[in-house]
Amino acid sequence: MEKEKAKGSARSPRRTDSLSREIIIRTAIEMLDGGGEKALTLRALTVRLSTGYGAIYHHVKDKGDLLATAADEVITGVMSGAGADADPRAALRALALGLFDAIDAHPWVGAEFSRQPWRPALLDFYEGVGRLLDALDVPEEARFDAAGALVNYVLGVAAQNAANARLRSGSGADPETFLEDAATQWARIDPGRYPFVHAAATRLGEHDDREQFLVGVDIFLAGVSTLR
């Protein structure tokens, strides 16, 4: 009896470790990446982790808390991996691209931060942008608007890309086919009424969304340089 009891008490710590907060959040991120917010339910999570509701509620309050914490985890990774460059322009570019890539890889993150722009990870991102704008000698009175413009640009473009990805997924079209179809539609537009759009059709089918995003960041950087 004593040996059996000792074995039982030795197993408990291992079970607690296996249901750590980190594993719960990582699993939630995998489920969100695989099927979006609809795929993440506490019931599905308990099944995936082979556990009960009590173990989940020990670490998170509800699905909303789980979503927010998962989004924080993704962006915390961005902050740890970007913005360390000594050149503030390069650091700001890397930071913006890091957030763009994170939302591209985890489309649900953008929607979550739109609902809760006060989340710690997004505040850390804002703080990092503000610090780099200061290093670029952007006047204090212009820093708030400049930081907001950049963060809104990143979130907006990333959200649009995520929406496009969902449309492609629903239609079964790959990105190249989707762009080719869009370019074909643009090419049929009346050049007399839409001369720029008609001419841009040849570029649309072959452009890269990520590269175009970076061009936008460079335009932003060129603009803030005039605020000194």
Side-chain angles (χ1 to χ4, degrees):
M1 288 289 292
E2 290 300 323
K3 287 183 179 179
E4 289 180 3
K5 186 176 180 181
K7 285 181 182 178
S9 18
R11 279 197 298 267
S12 296
R14 286 198 297 271
R15 178 169 173 75
T16 300
D17 290 344
S18 70
L19 296 173
S20 67
R21 182 179 177 85
E22 290 74 18
I23 288 179
I24 291 171
I25 299 305
R26 185 168 67 244
T27 304
I29 290 173
E30 291 171 359
M31 294 173 69
L32 287 161
D33 289 347
E37 289 186 30
K38 291 181 180 179
L40 180 64
T41 65
L42 294 181
R43 183 178 185 281
L45 187 61
T46 60
V47 172
R48 180 81 168 261
L49 293 172
S50 301
T51 187
Y53 288 100
I56 305 297
Y57 285 125
H58 179 71
H59 295 287
V60 295
K61 292 185 296 185
D62 50 31
K63 178 179 176 177
D65 183 36
L66 182 58
L67 264 170
T69 305
D72 278 345
E73 183 71 16
V74 169
I75 303 307
T76 296
V78 173
M79 294 302 297
S80 64
D85 199 293
D87 175 11
R89 288 177 60 87
L92 193 58
R93 200 172 187 263
L95 200 57
L97 184 59
L99 182 56
F100 174 85
D101 284 343
I103 296 176
D104 186 55
H106 311 278
W108 50 273
V109 169
E112 183 58 27
F113 282 132
S114 295
R115 286 193 291 264
Q116 299 191 59
W118 53 84
R119 292 300 304 173
L122 190 58
L123 294 179
D124 287 341
F125 188 87
Y126 262 108
E127 189 66 27
V129 169
R131 184 182 68 252
L132 291 169
L133 290 174
D134 184 26
L136 287 169
D137 297 324
V138 174
E140 184 177 358
E141 62 272 17
R143 222 170 289 155
F144 171 77
D145 289 334
L150 179 60
V151 175
N152 288 335
Y153 169 69
V154 179
L155 291 176
V157 174
Q160 182 62 55
N161 281 355
N164 289 342
R166 285 193 295 271
L167 285 173
R168 290 195 299 268
S169 176
S171 66
D174 57 58
E176 291 76 17
T177 301
F178 180 83
L179 286 176
E180 287 172 4
D181 289 346
T184 299
Q185 294 299 322
W186 278 27
R188 293 172 179 165
I189 290 173
D190 178 8
R193 184 174 180 181
Y194 301 104
F196 170 76
V197 174
H198 183 80
T202 56
R203 301 284 300 276
L204 179 64
E206 59 190 32
H207 90 285
D208 181 273
D209 288 336
R210 194 170 185 266
E211 289 300 320
Q212 191 175 60
F213 167 78
L214 282 173
V215 170
V217 175
D218 290 338
I219 291 172
F220 169 83
L221 288 169
V224 295
S225 67
T226 66
L227 300 174
R228 297 175 184 176

